[in-house]
Amino acid sequence: MTTTEALLLGRRRRLAVTMVGGFAGLVALSLAVAVVADRADVPTAAALTDRLVPLLVFYAPAPIAAVGGYARCGGPACLAVGAVPAVVFAGLAVAGTVFGVPGVGGDAPLGGVAAAFAAVGVSGAFVGYCAGVTAALLGDLVGIGSGGGDDEE
């Protein structure tokens, strides 16, 4: 597989799936803990999740996508990392509405909030992916980097 194909489409599919799935699990867990901490009125947990959730939702997609781009996971996987917070948030809101969890779902404009999360996440992931690809190409140029090892699956 050429370098261009590896960077654009991905060479390490298992790593890409692990990256996206692991990030989705982490975001889902942190959002669920935030809801439970808010419902249980636990101030310490609520303070922790008030700092952790924005970090995961808004800031984490860019560095994760940069690592994925450098590791040659491919553009689709790296951009999917940016969409993960929006999908998880929408799923949590729909589940909260269906199961009647107070304070989750309800009258909020779900489409608008999820679209805003997706816009922020995907744009950050795109920038991170571009940085990762640039780092991979520069590493290949000087003879170091992630180009070795075929993990094609």
Side-chain angles (χ1 to χ4, degrees):
M1 180 178 284
T2 65
T3 300
T4 304
E5 287 177 312
L7 289 170
L8 291 177
L9 302 176
R11 175 183 293 163
R12 299 183 171 132
R13 289 180 185 91
R14 182 176 293 158
L15 179 61
V17 170
T18 303
M19 178 180 68
V20 174
F23 184 58
L26 188 62
V27 170
L29 180 67
S30 68
L31 286 176
V33 167
V35 168
V36 169
D38 186 50
R39 299 303 317 152
D41 200 26
V42 179
T44 307
L48 179 64
T49 57
D50 285 347
R51 284 157 183 77
L52 181 65
V53 169
L55 176 73
L56 287 173
V57 169
F58 299 117
Y59 301 116
I64 292 171
V67 170
Y70 182 76
R72 290 172 166 75
C73 290
C78 292
L79 294 179
V81 166
V84 161
V87 172
V88 170
F89 172 75
L92 183 67
V94 167
T97 302
V98 168
F99 294 115
V101 176
V104 178
D107 297 333
L110 179 62
V113 174
F117 276 15
V120 170
V122 171
S123 61
F126 179 73
V127 170
Y129 170 69
C130 290
V133 166
T134 302
L137 290 173
L138 288 174
D140 287 350
L141 186 64
V142 296
I144 60 170
S146 65
D150 290 331
D151 187 20
E152 297 183 38
E153 294 172 31

